[in-house]
Amino acid sequence: MAIKVNANNYESQESAEKELRITEHIIKVNTQHLGRNFVAILLDSFCVASPGGIYICMVFDALCEPLWMLKRRFEGNTIPLDVLKPVSKLILEGLQYLHTECHVINTDLKSDNILLALRNPSILESVAQDEMNNPSPRKQLEGRDIYLSRNYWGCRPTNWVDRHCIQPEGYRAPEVCLGGDRSYSVDFWNLGVMLWDLFYGRGPFDTPPDSCGSGSADEAHLGKIISLLGPPPPDLLGRGKETSRTIQIPRTRRKKGPGFYG
């Protein structure tokens, strides 16, 4: 089993409680749906009290390496199409379960967060034995032991509207950058960009690292999207609370022509 320990500062505590509620909801929905096999299922949860506060802990099945590590196993640091196609199908099955059965938007699809199943549990025994024989480096701080980690490898109604910053930079959907209403479609945009990254070794809209929601990062990201896909449709611009800040809209626009979403 694997345990996820959430941070306990005020904002993270609130996020951790929300994540726990959503994760509990996911396990109670349609257990016969095929896509349920491809999402992380909560096995248990508990809280740990410490001098630093209360930590929410969630227990899951142990998994193997994430997709970004899998990518490194192939020549050119890209996943071949014959491998990427079945992986994509499984991700879509999982998204269908989250969207249609759980009414949950992932909001954070990236190669770090998609992990392969662990087919050989004996690996965990080897890791445990290795820890006993060669303990991880650690230090004591204020009466606590801090260990160096070993590196082996949202519930909403269907009419939900949210505008807080989501998704990794470079993967962010245009409606997120524009501050518009969003729904399940942002996950599919996110998925498409991630698959491009895995296949080509770089994202189509890679932008320099910057803080979440900063104007410069979002404006640069939108600029790259427009340079590849053409101008966004008027209805998308009209829904954005940040449109006037990020995009200069001409007085006249073509009614038809290439642009976002075909």
Side-chain angles (χ1 to χ4, degrees), residues 12 29 32 42 101-102 106 108 124 149 160 166 169 178 200 205 253 257:
S12 295
V29 188
Q32 303 303 313
L42 182 71
E101 302 292 330
C102 306
N106 182 283
D108 196 26
L124 300 179
S149 297
W160 168 63
I166 61 171
E169 289 181 9
L178 293 170
Y200 289 105
F205 315 118
R253 294 179 56 89

Side-chain angles (χ1 to χ4, degrees), residues 173-238:
E175 54 264 49
V176 177
C177 299
L178 293 170
D181 300 345
R182 54 186 181 264
S183 186
Y184 305 118
S185 58
V186 299
D187 276 348
F188 292 111
W189 176 281
N190 202 163
L191 174 63
V193 178
M194 183 191 71
L195 294 177
W196 180 297
D197 188 359
L198 292 171
F199 184 67
Y200 289 105
R202 58 180 177 78
F205 315 118
D206 284 350
T207 55
D210 207 334
S211 60
C212 184
S214 72
S216 59
D218 283 345
E219 288 170 15
H221 182 55
L222 281 169
K224 292 197 174 185
I225 292 174
I226 292 171
S227 69
L228 285 176
L229 301 181
D235 64 316
L236 177 61
L237 295 175

Side-chain angles (χ1 to χ4, degrees), residues 9 18 60 65 92 133 144 201 218 249:
N9 59 56
K18 177 181 175 182
F60 300 91
E65 63 187 14
L92 287 169
N133 297 335
R144 295 177 295 156
D218 283 345
I249 305 175

